[in-house]
């Protein structure tokens, strides 16, 4: 299959690109390197160093690649930045999603939505797909609006396979420490002997899912035929941040310097109900212990700054 991956130079994107190449797909990437790295992209990929809002480039990709499938991962991913620059966040995360669909007209679409941000502070935990969508940030709202655009695309193209994946808290190698991913932030602090700012008491829980499991879901979604489906992609397991800290200190054999900060806006419990994905044939297979060990191994070996 000819697959175009937006955000392919980023954390989840780079792993997805490698897995698509391994599966024998032809891959093109659109990424403006605003939060990704060229050396994350393996050879054998047609790389467009461009913004997904650039219509001329999208038309060029259509002409040169005519991709059958689009895995749409490029986004402004920072919640604090979305509060500072909501307009830009909507332009990148929502409006550019429409541009990509209108110009590329893919038969298959896989969209990276956010289970952590789209439900807000949910009443039902673990949270299923049919819970009310009550995002508390422009970032979450931008994903909610993009989901509407994807729904409209499917209704206008009923032969298309449109799969929305609401990821839980993803972690693993290649995750930058400046994107809000707490595992990467802790690993960076441990590696460089820096202070870690802990928001709250550390008893907050998250559904941490290893990046390889996310990639498995992205590739599985490429096998779908005409459908519109939404799946939560998480482990269903709840891990306290304090436990993550303990496990990372264990595998790194280092002590973390922690400064606790009071916070008002931290969601206390966040865990997705991913039973629907299990029925679909996807489930997570990497335990939190193994995932954190593999992530630390990458951090401890990595030489580059990112
Ligand atoms: N990491 C998580 O825990 C998580 C959870 C839920 C959803 N997601 C979603 O998964 C997707 C990938 O996230 P990630 O963690 O790999 O983030 P990332 O920042 O590592 O990757 C995003 C990539 O998109 C690129 N990009 C950003 N704006 C762009 C633009 N205007 N034009 C072209 N390229 C642009 C960046 O350079 C980067 O390489 C995002 O859509 C994110 O919202 C991530």
């Amino acid at each position: 299959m000819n697959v175009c991956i937006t955000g392919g130079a980023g954390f989840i994107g780079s792993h997805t690109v490698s897995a698509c190449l391994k599966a024998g797909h032809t891959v093109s990437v659109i990424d403006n390197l605003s939060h990704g790295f060229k050396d994350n992209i393996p050879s054998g990929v047609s790389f467009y160093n461009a913004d997904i809002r650039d219509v001329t480039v999208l038309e060029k990709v259509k002409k040169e690649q005519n991709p059958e499938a689009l895995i749409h991962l490029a986004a402004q991913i920072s919640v604090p930045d979305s509060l500072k620059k909501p307009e830009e966040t909507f332009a990148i995360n929502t409006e550019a999603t429409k541009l990509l669909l209108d110009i590329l007209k893919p038969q298959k679409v896989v969209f990276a939505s956010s289970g952590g941000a789209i439900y807000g502070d949910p009443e039902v935990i673990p949270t299923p797909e049919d819970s009310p969508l009550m995002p508390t940030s422009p970032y979450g709202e931008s994903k909610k609006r993009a989901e509407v655009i994807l729904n409209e695309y499917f209704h206008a193209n009923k032969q298309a396979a449109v799969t929305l994946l609401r990821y839980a808290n993803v972690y693993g190698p290649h995750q930058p420490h400046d994107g809000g991913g707490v595992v990467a932030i802790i690993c960076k602090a441990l590696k460089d002997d820096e202070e870690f700012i802990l928001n709250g008491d550390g008893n907050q829980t998250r559904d941490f899912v290893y990046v390889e499991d996310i990639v498995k879901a992205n590739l599985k979604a490429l096998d779908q035929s005409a459908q519109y489906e939404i799946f939560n992609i998480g482990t269903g397991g709840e891990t306290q941040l304090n436990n993550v800290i303990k496990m990372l200190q264990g595998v790194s054999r280092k002590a973390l310097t922690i400064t606790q900060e009071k916070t008002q806006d931290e969601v206390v419990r966040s865990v997705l109900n991913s039973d629907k994905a299990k029925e679909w044939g996807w489930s997570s297979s990497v335990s939190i212990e193994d995932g954190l060990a593999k992530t630390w191994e990458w951090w401890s070996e990595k030489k580059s700054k990112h």
Side-chain angles (χ1 to χ4, degrees), residues 49-303:
N49 182 348
D51 197 295
I52 51 168
R53 292 168 288 178
D54 187 334
V55 171
T56 312
V57 171
L58 300 192
E59 282 167 349
K60 192 169 176 221
V61 172
K62 174 69 179 171
K63 198 166 160 220
E64 291 179 358
Q65 309 293 333
N66 195 19
E68 187 182 347
L70 169 69
I71 303 182
H72 181 26
L73 304 169
Q76 191 299 95
I77 65 159
S78 157
V79 170
D81 285 357
S82 82
L83 290 161
K84 280 183 233 146
K85 298 179 192 169
E87 298 306 327
E88 193 182 345
T89 303
F90 290 122
I92 297 170
N93 296 7
T94 311
E95 288 152 32
T97 300
K98 180 152 171 48
L99 281 181
L100 280 158
L101 296 172
D102 287 349
I103 296 171
L104 299 183
K105 298 185 175 55
Q107 271 311 295
K108 291 170 190 267
V109 187
V110 184
F111 177 66
S113 191
S114 169
I118 208 162
Y119 300 115
D121 204 349
E123 273 176 26
V124 180
I125 294 172
T127 309
E129 288 84 351
D130 58 3
S131 290
L133 304 184
M134 294 188 296
T136 56
S137 66
Y139 168 72
E141 181 63 32
S142 71
K143 291 288 181 182
K144 181 180 166 185
R145 292 186 195 176
E147 287 200 359
V148 173
I149 287 168
L150 284 146
N151 185 283
E152 287 166 358
Y153 181 73
F154 175 70
H155 283 286
N157 304 274
K158 288 263 169 60
Q159 293 312 309
V162 178
T163 312
L164 279 59
L165 302 176
R166 292 180 182 158
Y167 306 152
N169 273 69
V170 192
Y171 70 98
H174 291 187
Q175 185 170 33
H177 65 275
D178 61 353
V182 72
V183 171
I185 296 170
I186 297 170
C187 286
K188 161 92 168 95
L190 281 169
K191 183 171 163 84
D192 294 343
D193 298 311
E194 290 167 352
E195 171 188 48
F196 169 66
I197 309 288
L198 174 63
N199 292 327
D201 59 8
N203 289 330
Q204 62 268 46
T205 67
R206 297 291 180 265
D207 182 348
F208 291 100
V209 58
Y210 190 62
V211 65
E212 264 174 28
D213 283 324
I214 293 291
V215 170
K216 220 168 61 177
N218 288 344
L219 265 76
K220 183 169 172 55
L222 286 182
D223 291 338
Q224 300 307 295
S225 42
Q227 65 155 21
Y228 174 83
E229 287 291 352
I230 301 175
F231 297 104
N232 281 342
I233 301 294
T235 66
E238 221 176 333
T239 309
Q240 280 191 342
L241 187 51
N242 282 330
N243 274 343
V244 171
I245 293 171
K246 218 180 278 170
M247 285 187 260
L248 281 171
Q249 291 188 126
V251 289
S252 66
R253 301 204 183 124
K254 290 180 100 170
L256 188 64
T257 312
I258 300 171
T259 303
Q260 210 169 321
E261 266 190 9
K262 274 203 174 141
T263 176
Q264 281 138 16
D265 51 10
E266 189 85 358
V267 172
V268 180
R269 291 180 71 199
S270 174
V271 55
L272 300 181
N273 177 331
S274 299
D275 289 352
K276 189 178 168 204
K278 276 194 193 134
E279 283 163 28
W280 178 45
W282 175 89
S283 61
S284 66
S285 50
V286 181
S287 68
I288 182 86
E289 291 83 3
D290 288 351
L292 290 177
K294 286 184 196 194
T295 306
W296 173 253
E297 196 183 320
W298 181 78
W299 274 92
S300 63
E301 286 170 0
K302 99 185 173 93
K303 302 214 168 38

